[in-house]
Amino acid sequence: MDLYESIGGLNNLCPDELCQRINGRKYPVAVHVKYHSNNCNMDRYFNIMLPPDYDESKKYPVCYLLHGIMCNEFMFTGDEKNHVSEIFSNLIAENKAREMILVFPDIFARKDKNLEQSFCQEVFDAYDDCQNELIKEIIPYIESHYSVATGRENRAVAGFSMGGRIIFSGISSVI
């Protein structure tokens, strides 16, 4: 079983009706976005999912979803078993969640392009540096390119595995 299969198993915890597409309902597609990171001194990427009826005249809160170790910005969006689009849209349509923008950054904020993911301190340090990447690069990019409500009260952060470690290390107090 690969990592995506084990993560896909988490959907078993979600009610089936939220994971299914409903005829006539709109579902967003994740868009892969390139930006230049001064923090890492290279071009980097994130995925973004806008609400189904995204309207630039509205201001949306933003939720940053942080992946686990050995993964990247495609962890939550690169596998149809994850049903992120369906869950997101169905919760909004059923008034169980607010419309918001979901951002899936690559939290492996390495400064050395040749650094491969592994279980060593240098890699852990690159993950820890995602705090700087989020604060200095990604949040300002999102706020300058999308119609978002700014300020801490309009941002959320959630993480899986290493992404959860990043949150507990203190990023939630800053974002």
Side-chain angles (χ1 to χ4, degrees), residues 13-110:
L13 302 175
C14 188
D16 287 340
E17 63 272 10
L18 289 178
C19 297
Q20 296 175 1
R21 288 191 174 248
I22 308 295
N23 286 335
R25 191 168 285 169
K26 295 178 186 175
Y27 295 93
V29 174
V31 176
H32 199 226
V33 177
K34 177 169 91 171
Y35 67 99
H36 182 76
S37 167
N38 292 316
N39 180 56
C40 294
N41 196 30
M42 68 178 85
D43 287 343
R44 296 193 20 91
Y45 298 87
F46 61 82
N47 280 317
I48 188 165
M49 198 173 281
L50 302 175
D53 290 318
Y54 179 76
D55 177 352
E56 288 187 4
S57 69
K58 293 167 114 179
K59 299 289 185 187
Y60 297 91
V62 181
C63 181
Y64 297 88
L65 295 158
L66 311 182
H67 63 74
I69 195 165
M70 309 295 277
C71 294
N72 58 30
E73 69 274 19
F74 292 105
M75 178 183 159
F76 295 108
T77 62
D79 186 337
E80 68 278 354
K81 295 179 209 167
N82 289 335
H83 302 285
V84 172
S85 179
E86 291 84 356
I87 294 167
F88 178 46
S89 294
N90 291 337
L91 285 170
I92 291 169
E94 295 174 18
N95 293 316
K96 294 179 179 175
R98 291 174 53 193
E99 285 186 309
M100 68 182 74
I101 295 171
L102 301 180
V103 178
F104 310 91
D106 180 359
I107 66 169
F108 183 43
R110 64 184 178 203

Side-chain angles (χ1 to χ4, degrees), residues 2 81 115 128 149:
D2 68 11
K81 295 179 209 167
L115 180 62
D128 289 344

